Amino acid sequence: MADAAPYSVLSVGATLGEGPVWVARDAALWFVDIKQHRIHRYDPALDVGRSWAAPGQVGWILPTDDGLFAVGMQSGVHRFDPSAASFTLLHAPEGHLPGNRQNDACVAPDGAIWFGSMDDAEEATSGYFYRVHKGVCVEAGLPAVSITNGPALSPDGRILYHTDTLGKRIWRTDVGVDGTVGNTTLFTKIEDDAGYPDGPTIDAEGCLWTGLFGGWAVRRYDPAGTLMREVRFPVANITKIAFGGGDLSTAYATTARKGLDMTALTQQPLAGDLFAFDPGVAGLPGHVATI
C-alpha cells in the first residue's frame, strides 16, 4: 500500500518536539517541546494550537484520571493543571542525578506510567526506566543507557518495548501483572545509515512504530521485529508518532530542529512542525494514569 505523504498540521518550530499523545476526552493531540520548555495542544476539529510555558525541560505529558495531566520535568514527575497553568511536584526519583532529565513515557493498561530518563549531555550512561502508580514511584530494574526512549507496551501490557537510542537498539522485556520486569531480548537494531531510533508506539495490530532521528522516516515493525513499512518525511528528525482522531486512524508525528545548522534549516523549513499522515492502520485506545 502506498503511503500518503506526511504533511504539516501545526507550525511550532519545535527545537525538540516529543511525546505526542491523543487525549480522547479533549479530542486533541498533546505534545511537548523539551528544549523550549513548552507544552502544546493541537485541536484538529478547529485546526488550532495552544501552548503553555513549563518551568523547565519537559519530556512528556499524559492524561490522568482526575481530568488533569502528569508531566515529566527535569526535576521530577509533576501534576499539570492547564486551566491554572500550574505544576505540582509528585515524585523526584533522580534528585541525586542533576545532569539527567526525563525523556519519554507511556501509560499501561493498569494506569501505571512507565517513563525513562537520560543524561542531558547525551554522554553518561545514567538513563533509567521507572514506573509510577498510585503514589509509588520505583526504578524498573532495566540496564542503564545514555538516552532512553519509550517505553511502549504491547496491547495486553505484558511486553515492554524500550529503546537505547545511541546504541540503535530496541529491546523487548516481559512484564508481570504486578509490573515486575522479566526476560529481555533484542527486538531490532537500526542499521548505521538509517538514523537513531527515537520514541516507539504500538498500533492496534501489536506492531511497533519508531521515529528515526536523523533518518527522515518512521518505521513499522511486526511483533517479531521484522521491518514492514517505512514512511519518509521532508524533515530529518522525527521523534515519535501517536494515533489520533475519533477512529484513531490518523498518525501524528513530532519533529525537531535540534542539531540542524542554518543550511539544513533552510533546506528543511518544516523542521520542528507537527505532522500527520495516513498510517493504514488504527492505533490503540489510550489509557489514563492513576498516579
Side-chain angles (χ1 to χ4, degrees), residues 71-290:
V71 296
M73 304 281 295
Q74 187 162 10
S75 55
V77 178
H78 289 67
R79 176 176 278 109
F80 169 57
D81 181 349
S83 63
S86 63
F87 297 81
T88 305
L89 180 64
L90 301 175
H91 303 280
E94 292 193 336
H96 60 297
L97 295 171
N100 269 18
R101 66 169 175 81
Q102 294 186 41
N103 196 49
D104 200 3
C106 70
V107 182
D110 65 357
I113 294 177
W114 292 80
F115 67 92
S117 67
M118 61 171 282
D119 174 30
D120 195 35
E122 303 180 8
E123 295 174 353
T125 305
S126 61
Y128 293 89
F129 287 99
Y130 297 85
R131 181 177 182 268
V132 59
H133 192 213
K134 297 182 178 179
V136 178
C137 183
V138 297
E139 201 261 298
L142 298 170
V145 298
S146 178
I147 301 177
T148 65
N149 258 296
L153 286 152
S154 60
D156 63 2
R158 301 303 298 275
I159 298 172
L160 188 77
Y161 297 94
H162 47 102
T163 299
D164 171 4
T165 293
L166 291 187
K168 294 195 168 187
R169 288 171 171 83
I170 302 173
W171 301 88
R172 53 173 286 163
T173 296
D174 297 332
V175 179
V177 293
D178 60 353
T180 57
V181 298
N183 185 53
T184 295
T185 56
L186 181 65
F187 176 71
T188 193
K189 184 179 186 300
I190 305 301
E191 62 271 27
D192 287 343
D193 60 351
Y196 293 86
D198 210 300
T201 305
I202 307 300
D203 66 29
E205 297 177 358
C207 297
L208 181 144
W209 294 73
T210 184
L212 293 174
F213 198 97
W216 301 82
V218 298
R219 286 182 173 181
R220 185 187 190 218
Y221 291 86
D222 72 15
T226 301
L227 178 61
M228 300 176 71
R229 293 173 59 193
E230 182 174 276
V231 180
R232 304 294 293 178
F233 277 68
V235 295
N237 301 329
I238 299 85
T239 55
K240 189 173 183 177
I241 75 161
F243 294 91
D247 56 2
L248 299 176
S249 63
T250 299
Y252 293 96
T254 46
T255 67
R257 296 165 65 90
K258 183 176 183 288
L260 301 179
D261 60 21
M262 290 307 299
T263 299
L265 289 172
T266 299
Q267 296 169 345
Q268 301 174 48
L270 301 180
D273 284 7
L274 178 69
F275 284 78
F277 66 94
D278 179 3
V281 64
L284 293 165
H287 304 289
V288 294
T290 52

